[in-house]
Amino acid sequence: MKLTWIKRRWPRFDSLVLNSSSEGLHMNYKDYYKVLGVARTAGADEIKKAFRKGARKYHPDINTSVDAEAKFKDVNEAYEVLKDPEKRAAYDQLGAEPPRGERYQAPPGWDADYAFSESGTAGGDQDFSDFFETLFRQQARPSTGMPRDNHAKVQIDIEDAYRGANRTLTLRTPTVGPDGRVTMENQKISVTIPKGVAEGQHLRVSGKGEATGDLFLEIAFAPHPIYRPDGRDLYADLPITPWEAALGGHAVMPTPAGRVDIRIPKNARSGQKLRLKGKGLPGAPAGDIYATLKIVNPPVSTPRERALFENLAKEISFDPRAHFKGS
């Protein structure tokens, strides 16, 4: 299988993506099935029929009520999503509507492992809600019947980017059955994750799109217990004791490439960053690791421990609030 590493960010032309800035974003939920008055199991014909009925009922040229125009827009927006197998399939994964009065929050990574083609329908100049605009990019290309590229977001471990890896991925692709209902088909694809791949970059798998088109895999890192990626750099908190902060010393820190020894400077401050040059994601140049010092106080649970701290308070003249005086 031919696989090409696309080093630059490749623009996504899929019919449905979740904007990166919308991760964790709260918004008003839209129940498109409720808007059209159909069940979640409704087929394509039933959805089309419900749309036509709603469009006639609330069309501004026919209905002069105050809320007719808003309801007409809701009907059009609901149909825009539910008529498209890809939009509908992913919309169904968003989860239930939140309790009344609460803002909806899309689950992080809800669109991961879904394959979408570049032939979806766009909303054109229609005025859709923030909910729609946040979840669905208004960019698509007309269907030509020719080979089409598919796009998907996949999660890998940060360690895979350090060493490279061979992975078998399962992608879920929405398809329309004979009855007009949308079902998900699983497709297993074996790919090689190249060493040095960064989050947001794309891998091209030749011939795995629609009708011999290509498949573009956008790389996302799975949550890591220690590190937070930012480009090729990694950030982490490094807990240290108060005496390590005062006296300096050494600490062993695990990295995706192995354990390293970090020298803690004397009189270190909480929040101070230590840089491990070239220890970040591989590349040309390689990224860095930034360890943020976090002073952690030990629990005082015995009389002897308490006495030690009382003695420390007597022996060391130190007032961390001295700058408050005179304010």
Side-chain angles (χ1 to χ4, degrees), residues 3-261:
L3 184 147
T4 306
W5 180 11
I6 308 298
K7 293 187 177 180
R8 63 187 177 86
R9 288 190 62 86
W10 194 276
R12 295 187 66 180
F13 297 116
D14 45 335
S15 62
L16 172 64
V17 297
L18 176 66
N19 297 332
S20 59
S21 60
S22 67
E23 292 279 355
L25 181 66
H26 294 264
M27 50 197 160
N28 290 323
Y29 180 85
K30 289 280 189 178
D31 189 334
Y32 293 132
Y33 292 100
K34 187 175 181 180
V35 169
L36 294 185
V38 297
R40 285 183 171 267
T41 56
D45 290 340
E46 187 178 353
I47 289 174
K48 182 184 293 187
K49 182 178 179 181
F51 162 69
R52 290 175 176 174
K53 179 180 178 181
R56 285 194 301 268
K57 181 178 180 180
Y58 297 113
H59 197 286
D61 293 342
I62 300 175
N63 193 325
T64 58
S65 62
V66 177
D67 60 349
E69 183 176 356
K71 290 184 176 180
F72 180 74
K73 290 181 179 179
D74 286 343
V75 168
N76 276 281
E77 180 175 320
Y79 185 59
E80 181 69 28
V81 174
L82 299 185
K83 74 178 181 180
D84 185 292
E86 295 179 346
K87 286 188 177 75
R88 181 181 178 184
Y91 170 75
D92 287 344
Q93 306 300 313
L94 287 178
E97 181 177 3
R100 183 178 296 276
E102 294 186 13
R103 299 277 281 176
Y104 176 76
Q105 182 176 3
W110 66 274
D111 61 341
D113 301 329
Y114 274 82
F116 297 105
S117 70
E118 63 181 13
S119 61
T121 56
D125 296 327
Q126 299 185 55
D127 183 17
F128 289 148
S129 69
D130 291 341
F131 178 78
F132 181 97
E133 295 294 344
T134 300
L135 299 178
F136 303 99
R137 176 185 295 176
Q138 298 303 295
Q139 184 170 185
R141 296 179 177 181
S143 177
T144 62
M146 301 294 288
R148 295 180 296 183
D149 294 337
N150 279 10
H151 301 257
K153 182 188 291 184
V154 296
Q155 283 191 338
I156 66 171
D157 295 330
I158 290 178
E159 287 79 2
D160 292 337
Y162 271 75
R163 299 185 292 265
N166 294 315
R167 291 286 181 267
T168 299
L169 308 176
T170 300
L171 300 180
R172 291 166 287 179
T173 306
T175 59
V176 182
D179 59 355
R181 296 182 181 180
V182 178
T183 59
M184 303 304 298
E185 289 187 354
N186 290 336
Q187 180 184 16
K188 291 188 179 296
I189 299 175
S190 297
V191 299
T192 299
I193 307 298
K195 178 180 177 180
V197 67
E199 192 167 38
Q201 290 187 329
H202 289 69
L203 305 179
R204 182 173 61 208
V205 186
S206 179
K208 288 298 181 178
E210 186 173 345
T212 70
D214 295 334
L215 172 64
F216 291 89
L217 300 177
E218 180 183 353
I219 297 298
F221 289 145
H224 196 277
I226 298 176
Y227 289 101
R228 303 177 297 275
D230 183 7
R232 294 197 173 278
D233 296 331
L234 297 180
Y235 290 80
D237 294 330
L238 178 61
I240 61 174
T241 63
W243 45 91
E244 286 175 328
L247 304 176
H250 292 266
V252 177
M253 185 170 186
T255 77
R259 303 172 76 85
V260 297
D261 185 84

Side-chain angles (χ1 to χ4, degrees), residues 307-326:
L308 287 172
F309 272 92
E310 289 175 343
N311 187 57
L312 184 66
K314 293 176 183 178
E315 294 294 332
I316 298 180
S317 176
F318 173 63
D319 183 1
R321 298 174 295 280
H323 63 288
F324 286 174
K325 297 175 181 179

